[in-house]
Amino acid sequence: MSDLDAVLARVDADLDAAIDRLFATLRLKSISTDPAYAAETRACAEWHAADLASVGFDASVRDTAGHPMVVAHNRSVAGTSVLFYGHYDVQPVDPLELWEHDPFAPSVETRPDGSRMIVGRGAADDKGQLMTFVEACRAWKAVTGKLPIPVTVLLEGEEESGGVNLPPFLDANTDELRADLALICDTNMWDPQTPAITTSLRGLCGEEITIHAADRDLHSGFYGSAAANPNHVLARIIADLRDEEGHITIPGFYDGVPELPRALKESWAKLDFSTQAFLGEVGLSVPAGEKGRSALEMVWSRPTCEVNGMGGGYQGAGFKTVIPAQASAKISFRLVFDQDPHKVRAAFREFVKARVPADCRVEFMEHGSGTAAAFDTGAPAFQKTQGALTAEWGREAVFVGGGGSIPVTTLIKDKLGIDVVMVGFGLSDDRIHSPNEKYDLKSFHKGIRSWVRILAAL
Amino acid sequence: MSDLDAVLARVDADLDAAIDRLFATLRLKSISTDPAYAAETRACAEWHAADLASVGFDASVRDTAGHPMVVAHNRSVAGTSVLFYGHYDVQPVDPLELWEHDPFAPSVETRPDGSRMIVGRGAADDKGQLMTFVEACRAWKAVTGKLPIPVTVLLEGEEESGGVNLPPFLDANTDELRADLALICDTNMWDPQTPAITTSLRGLCGEEITIHAADRDLHSGFYGSAAANPNHVLARIIADLRDEEGHITIPGFYDGVPELPRALKESWAKLDFSTQAFLGEVGLSVPAGEKGRSALEMVWSRPTCEVNGMGGGYQGAGFKTVIPAQASAKISFRLVFDQDPHKVRAAFREFVKARVPADCRVEFMEHGSGTAAAFDTGAPAFQKTQGALTAEWGREAVFVGGGGSIPVTTLIKDKLGIDVVMVGFGLSDDRIHSPNEKYDLKSFHKGIRSWVRILAAL
């Protein structure tokens, strides 16, 4: 039996224990965006450092101005060195009442078709995914006493909350983190049978605006019409963000957004993608964005603007005839190609200010910035990874775009000057960021096996 | 000493005890719109029935399909019979963090200028106001052993939550409640020195809409642009409700809204009203409604549409890149003259439906309807009441319009066929429906004395 086959067999034999280890981190409420969970977020970092140490890594928890990083090295062998990035923080869980089980009491559930899934907040994003890599290292270590190539692991605790402390951390630790290649496991398969390597991601510009009007809540009977209503001011701003064709109307927003290169467009056209199936899976049917573009093109290669949250006035049961003193919205822009998140933010702020009445004021709060990223799939690392994935899944791995934003990808590319290979085993129905998040047990199991093969191939 | 002087002296001597009685009802959390307070709302009704019984009324708590009514009779004398209406329910108290003290732990606070105010939820709206009438009856009873005219008291428990059970209750008890005249104490003074009789009120049509899009919350990176975002759909609907001139754009909305009669317009023009002062008091300066109309005209005689609450998606601390499954808004229309609330509601629903994408759906919830009301100030009861108020305050009482809605006014007018005299001692800075609601102790004290005089005059 070859080393590779022995390590794969070890993965199969150790699966139940791997699930138990994953459950241990899934139980930790590492909700980075909510200060109430700061202590538990740190506890999660410490758990991962201890777990990596148990695999033979030299692991440590590193303080930042926010939640800590975990850095772990195992570089006892020669070869192509890799920096693996994952994040141990998770999204908030509200609305809690829509969860079928406690989001932090993970379990394996069996579906009617016999397939099994790991259920809980973070199961897919990103604890389940990052543990596929850690478990692959554990199996190599257990069988051969070492890893096949030098590995450094970097786990972030603020990926879901802006990640403002990552750039200075990379700057301050460039030498320690330098490697030949970076690996990230925070993306999806193409479909449940087809593995994928994501070669482009959208950037992100997150912004919160609060419109302040009267200095107190007013009775709408006494002040209705006469007094500015911040709900109306906010609705007008949001409505004005798009025109009837679905274009975003902020001046200069599309600067740096070229039409898609023909080769990529043709490659994507070959993918078996159905807009109706994509939307139908979540109960929708009408593409909502720019008219005349496919949903795939919009999600992978076009910028967007989404109001992720908004609120103002009385939202409880019943009715209250109030004109609120303030209303606010959290808005994210997904960016592509050469869009500059700082320019987008500045243009958005001007756009908002122009729509705030003279007796109201607007308050802005920044929630993270990241540019888009794209890689050349012809590089050897991409070809080797594609081969390893194809061997594991019995179907050719495809190169895809990604609609989400993993700002670290651009940061690593820019600050360390290396390529980033994004491989992940999530599925589109994983409900990440939503109630009842899950990760298929098959994704977890074959994900570990995939990394075993990729580590060998590299 | 005349009976009247003796009763007024009794009011002065009994003021501290009257404040204690008011505090007893202010401590009861009769928030009618929130089902969590149903038991305490009933307890409040029972407190008022017992209190009225202590004044010699034949008082009872009457069940309805919602919160109960309190009905009390004291008709042992001959004369012009009156039906006094008040409401014992109160508005919700959120945002609780903006209250300086527990909203249900009332107190009397002294301002720097030496004036004193009663602070707590319901202090002005309407417990403090309704108790001015009850205390006036108590003083008459204590001094003369009887009331000067036959009195029936009707206290509602759902004025702040739609009042859907009042019309059937009036229908079922028309004979018992019939009187020559109705009195309501739920309105304001013109200014702190000038008493007012409100002779017109706006109607109300309350409606809640919920836009449902995908069958779950979505990740805005994966679905942004492609999937309908209910926050955007809702913002578009709200923004479309008004045009650039401030007109409401719902087809047929202004049916039944004439220009103001010249006589009334001239009478209002004589009032010492400053739009800048009116808005300046709450920190604003720019009239927000229809262009070319004064704030007074807008609030007293023009219909409006206000979003009292709206919300969708993540509103907690930090940021969450979600496209929510739903978003909702609570919207109230203030109606004037002959606007029909049912027609307005139907037209609004069509307006909304026309703006909901084909793959989304909208859910409507009704929150009460009431038409506008206006009375002829030449009728004897209005003249007598004006005289009594002028005598108490030493300044001629004025006839004013009102921007709020007291649907019971129209109901009593229509179902019992009698005039309604609206007298109240609230002030524009009472912060009703807002944190830190207060009622001036002077309003309470001289309000009681005013009713003592009005009961004598009628």
PDB file of all heavy atoms in Angstrom, chain B residues 98 246 251 301 418 422 453:
ATOM      1  N   LEU B  98     -34.083  54.974  26.362  1.00  0.00           N
ATOM      2  CA  LEU B  98     -34.139  56.434  26.301  1.00  0.00           C
ATOM      3  C   LEU B  98     -34.947  57.046  27.451  1.00  0.00           C
ATOM      4  O   LEU B  98     -34.999  58.263  27.595  1.00  0.00           O
ATOM      5  CB  LEU B  98     -34.717  56.893  24.959  1.00  0.00           C
ATOM      6  CG  LEU B  98     -33.876  56.535  23.732  1.00  0.00           C
ATOM      7  CD1 LEU B  98     -34.478  57.148  22.478  1.00  0.00           C
ATOM      8  CD2 LEU B  98     -32.433  57.030  23.895  1.00  0.00           C
ATOM      9  N   GLY B 246     -44.211  66.329  -2.543  1.00  0.00           N
ATOM     10  CA  GLY B 246     -44.738  65.912  -1.248  1.00  0.00           C
ATOM     11  C   GLY B 246     -46.157  65.370  -1.319  1.00  0.00           C
ATOM     12  O   GLY B 246     -46.750  65.036  -0.302  1.00  0.00           O
ATOM     13  N   PRO B 251     -53.452  56.410  -6.247  1.00  0.00           N
ATOM     14  CA  PRO B 251     -54.587  56.906  -7.049  1.00  0.00           C
ATOM     15  C   PRO B 251     -55.854  57.053  -6.191  1.00  0.00           C
ATOM     16  O   PRO B 251     -56.207  56.152  -5.436  1.00  0.00           O
ATOM     17  CB  PRO B 251     -54.753  55.823  -8.115  1.00  0.00           C
ATOM     18  CG  PRO B 251     -53.397  55.203  -8.251  1.00  0.00           C
ATOM     19  CD  PRO B 251     -52.819  55.233  -6.867  1.00  0.00           C
ATOM     20  N   SER B 301     -55.493  69.884   8.474  1.00  0.00           N
ATOM     21  CA  SER B 301     -56.504  69.752   7.419  1.00  0.00           C
ATOM     22  C   SER B 301     -56.056  68.993   6.188  1.00  0.00           C
ATOM     23  O   SER B 301     -56.815  68.884   5.237  1.00  0.00           O
ATOM     24  CB  SER B 301     -56.977  71.150   6.981  1.00  0.00           C
ATOM     25  OG  SER B 301     -55.961  71.795   6.230  1.00  0.00           O
ATOM     26  N   ILE B 418     -74.857  62.537  18.516  1.00  0.00           N
ATOM     27  CA  ILE B 418     -74.661  63.700  19.394  1.00  0.00           C
ATOM     28  C   ILE B 418     -73.339  64.403  19.095  1.00  0.00           C
ATOM     29  O   ILE B 418     -72.439  63.817  18.483  1.00  0.00           O
ATOM     30  CB  ILE B 418     -74.702  63.291  20.891  1.00  0.00           C
ATOM     31  CG1 ILE B 418     -73.634  62.220  21.188  1.00  0.00           C
ATOM     32  CG2 ILE B 418     -76.095  62.783  21.262  1.00  0.00           C
ATOM     33  CD1 ILE B 418     -73.576  61.796  22.657  1.00  0.00           C
ATOM     34  N   MET B 422     -64.427  68.251  22.610  1.00  0.00           N
ATOM     35  CA  MET B 422     -63.090  67.740  22.966  1.00  0.00           C
ATOM     36  C   MET B 422     -62.298  68.828  23.672  1.00  0.00           C
ATOM     37  O   MET B 422     -61.949  69.848  23.068  1.00  0.00           O
ATOM     38  CB  MET B 422     -62.367  67.276  21.705  1.00  0.00           C
ATOM     39  CG  MET B 422     -63.001  66.033  21.089  1.00  0.00           C
ATOM     40  SD  MET B 422     -62.213  65.536  19.526  1.00  0.00           S
ATOM     41  CE  MET B 422     -63.149  66.546  18.376  1.00  0.00           C
ATOM     42  N   ARG B 453     -65.894  73.447  36.449  1.00  0.00           N
ATOM     43  CA  ARG B 453     -66.642  74.580  35.885  1.00  0.00           C
ATOM     44  C   ARG B 453     -67.514  74.166  34.700  1.00  0.00           C
ATOM     45  O   ARG B 453     -68.630  74.654  34.532  1.00  0.00           O
ATOM     46  CB  ARG B 453     -65.663  75.674  35.425  1.00  0.00           C
ATOM     47  CG  ARG B 453     -64.913  76.380  36.563  1.00  0.00           C
ATOM     48  CD  ARG B 453     -63.973  77.429  35.960  1.00  0.00           C
ATOM     49  NE  ARG B 453     -63.045  77.998  36.941  1.00  0.00           N
ATOM     50  CZ  ARG B 453     -63.329  79.061  37.701  1.00  0.00           C
ATOM     51  NH1 ARG B 453     -64.512  79.639  37.640  1.00  0.00           N
ATOM     52  NH2 ARG B 453     -62.428  79.524  38.542  1.00  0.00           N
TER      53      ARG B 453
END
